[in-house]
Amino acid sequence: MKPGGRLGPARLLVAIVAVIAIGAALWQLHRATGDLIVTHATVGQTPVTVFREPSATRAPVVVIAHGFAGSQQLMQPFAQTMARNGYIAVTFDFTGHGRNPVTMVGDVDEPTKITGVLVDDLARVTDYARALPQSDGRAAVLGHSMASDIVVAYAVAHPDISATVAVSVFTRKSTPTLPHNLLVIVGDWEPQMLKDEGLRIVNQLTGGGAAAGRTYGSFGDGTARRVAFSSGVEHIGVLYSQDSLRESLQWMNESFGRQSSGWIDRRPVWLALLFGGLIALAWPLSKLLPQAAPLPMGASLAWKPLLIAAIVPAVLTPLLLWKAPTDFLTILLGDYLTLHFLLYGALTAAILLLIRRRGRKAHAHAHASTHHQRGLERLESLPDPAHPRVAIAALAIASVAAIAYNIIGFGVPLDTYAFSFMPIEPRLHLIAAVACGTIPYFLTAEWMAHGAGARRGAYALAKFCFLASLAAAVALNLQKLFFLIIIVPVILLLFIAFGLISNWTYKATNHPLPGALANAILFAWAIAVTFPMVIR
């Protein structure tokens, strides 16, 4: 085992700049809360967070609901914006989501129809919020994606709700006059069907011809309607958009007849600086990892076998799982993802073994071509896992360090500022279950893409094929896997960010195992703690 090296001037400079960036971002994110009073409570078993200014008394409450696979942290931009402008903002975790320990019960094939329990959650939290000592009894509700339908349904059934904001809306529960004072917000980069849905809702009042950015009806009698398109954002970015926050705040002010400071949350730049700093810091830190092998380990595939190993699992996995039962875990869609990772990894491993055996047979024949001989030299350089050149201690140290950096280094700020990342007890076994799928996938993917003779672009090809495979699975079973469309961009971002980190880890250790395990545990963790818990 060769110990890690010393940091050169370039790495030391990057480390210093990254630490400064991380510190500045954390300070700005903390500063955004200002002097807000933030308290935590439970309503039944629902975790609730209340944001308010110390001077907020006799103020309206705004109850803010997250979407599918979300949590209350995701809605902090709205909560802090409302609270800093004099409202009492309340966020919470729906049943089955975040740190709510209660499991949803419903039809896995129709996740958007599990509404009764979710509407009840919203009702209990709204009653709690309106009864707060600082509340004046008036209330508004705001919901994103899945919760847009929930807040509309609740506000239609409770006409005393003064205003409703539906972000990334899909609902059939609105009427021409209910809910009262309805604002619809859709991201410019979201599907056209969501924009059309927003216009349809406004046209219920106008009878047709509604245009985005124009208010119809009257706030006085509760018939106000408006659809707004937030520029340059998609389904998640719409929650952080200045347009979304500004439109929502103005709508609340108009609905309640209030004026405010106009303060708007601006966390995207600080989150980018924070996580960019954490990614950059991994580069100099990777140099400190011990070297586990004297030569770069991996499959060292030429282009032809690489294409076979990358494409065949991508094609076969969605086809083989098309009709397969996948309802074996209590996390909605997490069970399918686990199977997809597992089967994809198993197919890749089988193909790599076949390529290696074929290479050995080619080497045994005297008439093998020079091309095959060169390919074989790369294949034969692969050591047996028990070979003394592979330092078990170095692999263990590097793996633990890489896993800890991913889970703790990124996990703590994610849990604080983005979404629920630290698991509650009912989710702990789910992390282990999902890891049974992610570990085989990442081990084989990292091995396939690396080695002394690995082709440039092999890693990107492997990840692109996996995303294409997941997209094909959604296309084959759109009804069941629809919500995977939402997370594919998130998976892409994770592949890019943590792909860089695993690549630096590989260059430092000469072995794909530490980076593969770190990514596998990260993905298993993220899936197990974010997807809703459901009993079918």
Side-chain angles (χ1 to χ4, degrees):
M1 178 176 70
K2 182 180 177 180
R6 298 177 60 184
L7 298 184
R11 290 180 186 263
L12 186 59
L13 177 61
V14 169
I16 293 172
V17 172
V19 169
I20 292 173
I22 293 168
L26 289 173
W27 180 74
Q28 289 288 350
L29 288 167
H30 177 72
R31 182 169 172 263
T33 60
D35 58 353
L36 292 180
I37 297 174
V38 182
T39 57
H40 302 279
T42 56
V43 177
Q45 297 189 67
T46 302
V48 171
T49 304
V50 179
F51 302 78
R52 65 177 180 87
E53 288 184 325
S55 59
T57 56
R58 312 305 298 169
V61 297
V62 181
V63 181
I64 302 168
H66 62 80
F68 175 83
S71 56
Q72 56 180 316
Q73 290 94 321
L74 196 61
M75 308 305 289
Q76 283 181 4
F78 285 101
Q80 293 193 9
T81 295
M82 295 301 167
R84 290 287 295 270
N85 284 277
Y87 294 94
I88 300 169
V90 180
T91 61
F92 66 99
D93 289 333
F94 274 121
T95 294
H97 292 73
R99 291 193 175 90
N100 193 318
V102 181
T103 302
M104 288 195 299
V105 178
D107 183 356
V108 69
D109 293 324
E110 297 286 351
T112 59
K113 290 186 178 179
I114 311 175
T115 59
V117 171
L118 304 184
V119 170
D120 288 345
D121 286 345
L122 177 61
R124 285 193 300 272
V125 173
T126 304
D127 289 344
Y128 167 82
R130 297 176 80 166
L132 289 170
Q134 300 80 18
S135 168
D136 66 3
R138 295 179 295 170
V141 290
L142 182 154
H144 172 240
S145 191
M146 172 191 76
S148 67
D149 183 56
I150 304 303
V151 297
V152 168
Y154 174 76
V156 166
H158 295 79
D160 56 333
I161 295 298
S162 301
T164 299
V165 178
V167 184
S168 304
V169 67
F170 52 92
T171 185
R172 287 295 183 269
K173 299 181 176 65
S174 62
T175 74
T177 57
L178 288 174
H180 286 156
N181 297 333
L182 174 60
L183 169 66
V184 174
I185 298 175
V186 183
D188 255 346
W189 295 351
E190 295 201 74
Q192 183 62 38
M193 64 178 183
L194 294 186
K195 298 179 182 179
D196 293 341
E197 174 68 358
L199 292 169
R200 183 196 68 79
I201 291 172
V202 177
N203 280 328
Q204 287 181 309
L205 174 70
T206 64
R214 181 177 175 184
T215 301
Y216 300 89
S218 167
F219 286 99
D221 61 13
T223 61
R225 295 286 186 273
R226 179 183 177 91
V227 59
F229 298 155
S230 297
S231 61
V233 292
E234 34 56 63
H235 197 68
I236 301 300
V238 71
L239 297 175
Y240 298 91
S241 165
Q242 297 287 291
D243 293 341
S244 301
L245 298 173
R246 192 176 296 109
E247 287 276 357
S248 299
L249 176 60
Q250 182 62 29
W251 195 257
M252 295 301 171
N253 288 341
E254 294 281 359
S255 298
F256 289 108
R258 293 168 59 93
Q259 293 183 341
S260 63
S261 67
W263 187 93
I264 299 294
D265 184 278
R266 290 177 171 82
R267 72 181 55 206
V269 63
W270 304 119
L271 289 176
L273 187 64
L274 172 60
F275 293 112
L278 287 168
I279 293 170
L281 184 60
W283 181 57
L285 290 181
S286 67
K287 187 67 175 177
L288 304 177
L289 296 174
Q291 189 181 88
L295 296 174
M297 315 308 308
S300 297
L301 296 179
W303 273 115
K304 183 177 179 179
L306 174 63
L307 288 171
I308 293 172
I311 295 174
V312 171
V315 173
L316 291 181
T317 300
L319 293 175
L320 293 173
L321 293 179
W322 182 15
K323 298 296 184 179
T326 57
D327 304 339
F328 58 92
L329 290 178
T330 57
I331 41 174
L332 195 60
L333 300 180
D335 39 19
Y336 177 82
L337 279 175
T338 301
L339 274 186
H340 199 97
F341 277 116
L342 177 60
L343 181 57
Y344 201 110
L347 290 171
T348 304
I351 292 170
L352 290 176
L353 287 173
L354 288 173
I355 291 173
R356 182 166 181 170
R357 288 179 181 176
R358 185 174 181 179
R360 283 176 171 170
K361 286 183 179 180
H363 181 58
H365 291 81
H367 301 290
S369 67
T370 303
H371 174 75
H372 286 155
Q373 291 288 348
R374 289 175 179 172
L376 174 66
E377 289 172 5
R378 288 192 295 269
L379 291 169
E380 288 298 317
S381 69
L382 299 178
D384 183 86
H387 196 284
R389 287 184 301 177
V390 180
I392 303 301
L395 286 176
I397 293 171
S399 297
V400 170
I403 293 170
Y405 191 77
N406 282 2
I407 299 301
I408 299 175
F410 284 87
V412 172
L414 279 172
D415 189 75
T416 304
Y417 300 110
F419 60 87
S420 181
F421 192 81
M422 296 305 166
I424 57 177
E425 189 277 332
R427 292 184 180 268
L428 290 175
H429 73 282
L430 296 173
I431 297 175
V434 179
C436 292
T438 58
I439 289 176
Y441 165 72
F442 280 99
L443 286 177
T444 55
E446 295 280 340
W447 188 267
M448 176 181 69
H450 288 114
R455 295 297 189 260
R456 185 181 296 273
Y459 191 90
L461 173 66
K463 295 300 180 281
F464 172 81
C465 287
F466 181 85
L467 290 175
S469 176
L470 206 55
V474 174
L476 287 171
N477 199 345
L478 184 61
Q479 183 181 25
K480 184 173 183 177
L481 303 179
F482 173 79
F483 278 99
L484 288 183
I485 296 174
I486 299 172
I487 70 160
V488 167
V490 177
I491 294 177
L492 174 61
L493 289 175
L494 292 177
F495 275 165
I496 294 172
F498 292 97
L500 283 172
I501 296 175
S502 67
N503 185 53
W504 295 328
T505 302
Y506 174 78
K507 289 182 177 179
T509 62
N510 275 344
H511 204 287
L513 179 64
L517 287 178
N519 282 351
I521 298 302
L522 173 77
F523 270 76
W525 192 292
I527 292 169
V529 301
T530 55
F531 281 85
M533 296 188 298
V534 177
I535 297 175
R536 283 74 165 188

